[in-house]
């Protein structure tokens, strides 16, 4: 399901992959994030760039979007602070870039990286 934004000049369609990649890259830019992990993986390994969509899931409602991000945190980082930062950053950047209201962001810590 792509997001469709209708205005007086026409229709803008934003594919899910774009939103997933934007959320993934935004999460990776946050302090304390070692990488992204697939949400359905039994062994949380850091995903390669072409697999980022496996770490982000989207849920659409009538006027907003909910985003879940699965991350790997660096050892020694304050997990709550890292999670709060990811939530705020993803919510802000996805909302600003797409013009769609992000109702909430869930951050799932899949592993702590010792590297």
């Amino acid at each position: 399901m792509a997001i469709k934004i209708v205005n007086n000049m026409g229709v803008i369609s934003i594919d899910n992959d774009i939103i997933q990649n934007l959320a993934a890259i935004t999460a990776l830019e946050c302090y304390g994030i070692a990488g992204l992990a697939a949400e359905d993986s039994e062994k949380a390994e850091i995903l390669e760039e072409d697999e980022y969509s496996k770490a982000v899931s989207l849920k659409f409602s009538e006027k907003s979007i909910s985003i879940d991000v699965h991350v790997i945190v660096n050892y020694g980082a304050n997990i709550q602070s890292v999670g709060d930062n990811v939530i705020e950053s993803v919510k802000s950047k996805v909302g600003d870039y797409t013009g769609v209201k992000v109702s909430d962001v869930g951050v799932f810590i899949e592993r702590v990286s010792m590297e």
Side-chain angles (χ1 to χ4, degrees), residues 47-106:
L47 295 174
E48 298 293 324
E49 187 174 348
D50 62 340
E51 300 176 308
Y52 285 171
S53 63
K54 294 179 182 179
V56 179
S57 60
L58 308 173
K59 295 177 195 111
F60 297 92
S61 68
E62 198 170 302
K63 297 193 181 223
S64 65
I65 186 172
S66 174
I67 302 171
D68 289 339
V69 184
H70 297 260
V71 298
I72 298 171
V73 175
N74 287 318
Y75 176 78
N78 181 302
I79 293 174
Q80 182 173 352
S81 294
V82 171
D84 289 343
N85 189 18
V86 171
I87 289 168
E88 185 60 37
S89 296
V90 169
K91 193 172 190 177
S92 175
K93 192 168 278 187
V94 171
D96 289 348
Y97 280 29
T98 64
V100 176
K101 181 180 187 285
V102 178
S103 58
D104 62 270
V105 176

